[in-house]
Amino acid sequence: MRVRDTRRVDMGGRLIDLAPRTFFGVPGVRDLALLDAQVAFLGVPYDGGTPQPGILTGQRAGPAATRAATDTTLYYPPLAGAGDDGGAEGWYDVEADRDYLVGVTMADVGDVAIQGSDTEANYVRITGAARTIVERGALLVAVGGDHSISYPLGLGMESLGEFDVVHVDAHADFFDDLDGARLTGAHMEERLSSEQR
């Protein structure tokens, strides 16, 4: 597989675009280097991995739609100042008669800065954002985007060592090549497994 050399992609520049609203109303973080939360939500508004060229699929709208849908689902108290994050009030489960996520600190780090149709450079930014979140010790929760984002997100998690992927789909997404393309939603499982070999 010929992959373009992306070492010149500006990783010092903007990796993340801030979102106007956050997942579950949690605090937003402007700078990944300042992330200090147990859980970090990352939007990946990318649908360039859809193997049907010219078909607008809309997966790139996933992070914004999810933020809008979850805005009032969980109460996260507003922060009064630095060091004031007591975490989420949690969810009460009537059937289990217990609270979940009480005191868990969460942050929304925004969306990966997607730049047009430059697949390799976009993957570098997705990987860079995921890697930074994982290295800050937060549990990464990424919301996309099409299936192809699993590959660069997985690369960003390499510092954790081996990890398992739970894949629920109608097909395996294990193509090596689909009509000449090697980085689409039909290839993510094959790409992740070949990195492990």
Side-chain angles (χ1 to χ4, degrees):
M1 171 172 87
R2 183 185 177 283
V3 177
R4 193 174 63 132
D5 181 4
T6 57
R7 287 178 287 188
R8 293 181 298 146
V9 174
D10 182 12
M11 290 300 290
R14 200 179 77 220
L15 267 183
I16 300 292
D17 287 326
L18 296 179
R21 81 174 18 136
T22 65
F23 290 104
F24 299 102
V26 304
V29 172
R30 294 182 160 281
D31 183 351
L32 287 176
L34 301 176
L35 177 64
D36 184 24
Q38 294 167 296
V39 177
F41 294 97
L42 173 68
V44 189
Y46 183 74
D47 59 4
T50 303
Q52 296 85 12
I55 297 175
L56 298 177
T57 57
Q59 292 104 323
R60 69 183 170 277
T66 305
R67 283 185 178 101
T70 63
D71 193 37
T72 59
T73 306
L74 170 75
Y75 181 69
Y76 204 99
L79 303 182
D84 184 44
D85 192 353
E89 285 197 357
W91 279 297
Y92 177 71
D93 183 334
V94 177
E95 293 175 2
D97 189 28
R98 69 173 285 215
D99 291 305
Y100 292 96
L101 301 176
V102 174
V104 174
T105 57
M106 302 178 202
D108 187 326
V109 299
D111 289 340
V112 174
I114 300 299
Q115 302 294 314
S117 61
D118 191 348
T119 301
E120 289 89 359
N122 286 326
Y123 276 26
V124 167
R125 281 187 286 279
I126 295 167
T127 298
R131 181 177 294 124
T132 302
I133 290 167
V134 166
E135 288 173 353
R136 299 288 304 166
L139 172 68
L140 169 64
V141 178
V143 177
D146 68 35
H147 292 196
S148 70
I149 68 170
S150 298
Y151 175 57
L153 289 169
L155 292 178
M157 294 173 47
E158 283 179 322
S159 65
L160 296 175
E162 272 191 40
F163 60 90
D164 295 317
V165 174
V166 177
H167 179 73
V168 180
D169 202 339
H171 43 85
D173 292 334
F174 218 85
F175 277 98
D176 182 49
D177 180 293
L178 181 63
D179 298 328
R182 295 177 53 90
L183 296 173
T184 74
H187 304 98
M188 65 183 173
E189 296 298 331
E190 198 285 327
R191 291 290 159 288
L192 284 171
S193 70
S194 66
E195 290 290 326
Q196 299 299 313
R197 289 185 223 150

